[in-house]
Amino acid sequence: EDQVTQSPEALRLQEGESSSLNCSYTVSGLRGLFWYRQDPGKGPEFLFTLYSAGEEKEKERLKATLTKKESFLHITAPKPEDSATYLCAVQAFNNDMRFGAGTRLTVKP
Amino acid sequence: NAGVTQTPKFQVLKTGQSMTLQCAQDMNHEYMSWYRQDPGMGLRLIHYSVGAGITDQGEVPNGYNVSRSTTEDFPLRLLSAAPSQTSVYFCASRWGQGSPGELFFGEGSRLTVL
């Protein structure tokens, strides 16, 4: 069965303190790996799609990377406005989408 | 540009009552889906549709019905609400089932069943 595990469950950083979020997955043929940001009381908002091992995507202070077993979301010099829950999801070749439970990031000023 | 619109945002039901969560999208997406989100768990797929007149079950379909009479609308019906259905429900859409692509989510509907 396809599985997605995100770690840590929660992460508290000081403003400017860089770190990484992990998404480990097992899937029967990866069609795409997705990162979303979710603010409290809102729906998830799309950040990145990665399709193959070695691929990287960047957006402002965020950079997503992909290997055959996991993906990392690197946050460089975070700001308080980066506080949110970050969700990882994998789409298999049968088009099923499986989500992880998310990492709740808090950035203190 | 409204995107995906869900109503209501909040609802309280008593056990055994029925209700419908509404979802509409204005992006002409073929694929629409309903997820539920519970603390400590990932989003779980309830039902999905790959086009008008076509629906299928997801991971947790029991207790829910869907229909898709138009491309734009995809309502979720709770037939006889149970406390286990207390959750936040999200409707999401994307272009087509046959291609990878990000989901566009609504703002969510928070349901409490007493």
Side-chain angles (χ1 to χ4, degrees):
Chain A
E1 183 180 293
D2 300 340
Q3 282 194 326
V4 179
T5 304
Q6 292 189 245
S7 61
E9 289 185 14
L11 181 62
R12 297 170 69 91
L13 300 174
Q14 287 296 127
E15 185 171 1
E17 180 187 1
S18 301
S19 188
S20 297
L21 313 182
N22 177 262
C23 172
S24 298
Y25 66 91
T26 55
V27 65
S28 54
L30 180 69
R31 194 153 198 187
L33 184 140
F34 301 83
W35 282 98
Y36 292 85
R37 171 190 170 126
Q38 185 175 22
D39 292 303
K42 302 288 187 182
E45 183 180 334
F46 170 74
L47 291 173
F48 303 109
T49 309
L50 301 166
Y51 294 104
S52 57
E55 189 175 359
E56 298 182 353
K57 294 258 179 91
E58 282 189 72
K59 180 180 180 179
E60 296 181 358
R61 296 176 291 282
L62 300 177
K63 181 169 127 178
T65 61
L66 181 65
T67 72
K68 288 188 177 179
K69 293 184 178 181
E70 58 192 354
S71 177
F72 291 94
L73 185 64
H74 306 278
I75 303 177
T76 302
K79 298 182 177 181
E81 53 262 42
D82 294 321
S83 297
T85 296
Y86 291 86
L87 304 176
C88 171
V90 296
Q91 185 178 18
F93 275 113
N94 64 3
N95 291 313
D96 285 351
M97 185 86 80
R98 181 76 61 169
F99 282 84
T103 294
R104 188 173 65 254
L105 174 67
T106 305
V107 182
K108 294 286 192 181
Chain B
N1 189 2
V4 178
T5 303
Q6 290 183 236
T7 57
K9 291 191 185 303
F10 301 94
Q11 184 72 49
V12 179
L13 290 178
K14 293 182 179 178
T15 297
Q17 288 184 318
S18 62
M19 76 157 299
T20 300
L21 300 178
Q22 302 290 345
C23 175
Q25 52 92 8
D26 62 359
M27 297 172 282
N28 204 30
H29 285 171
E30 291 181 351
Y31 179 90
M32 295 185 74
S33 55
W34 277 101
Y35 287 86
R36 61 178 289 172
Q37 188 174 42
D38 300 293
M41 305 185 74
L43 288 157
R44 291 183 293 168
L45 183 64
I46 304 171
H47 285 286
Y48 67 95
S49 168
V50 299
I54 306 169
T55 63
D56 207 346
Q57 297 180 350
E59 183 184 355
V60 288
N62 292 341
Y64 308 94
N65 268 2
V66 291
S67 60
R68 183 103 179 263
S69 56
T70 67
T71 299
E72 295 79 19
D73 300 299
F74 190 46
L76 178 72
R77 297 182 188 83
L78 280 71
L79 308 172
S80 178
S84 61
Q85 294 178 303
T86 294
S87 187
V88 182
Y89 292 84
F90 289 97
C91 180
S93 69
R94 68 168 184 253
W95 287 108
Q97 172 70 342
S99 59
E102 69 270 23
L103 288 166
F104 294 80
F105 285 86
E107 296 273 279
S109 297
R110 182 175 294 274
L111 174 67
T112 301
V113 182
L114 302 175

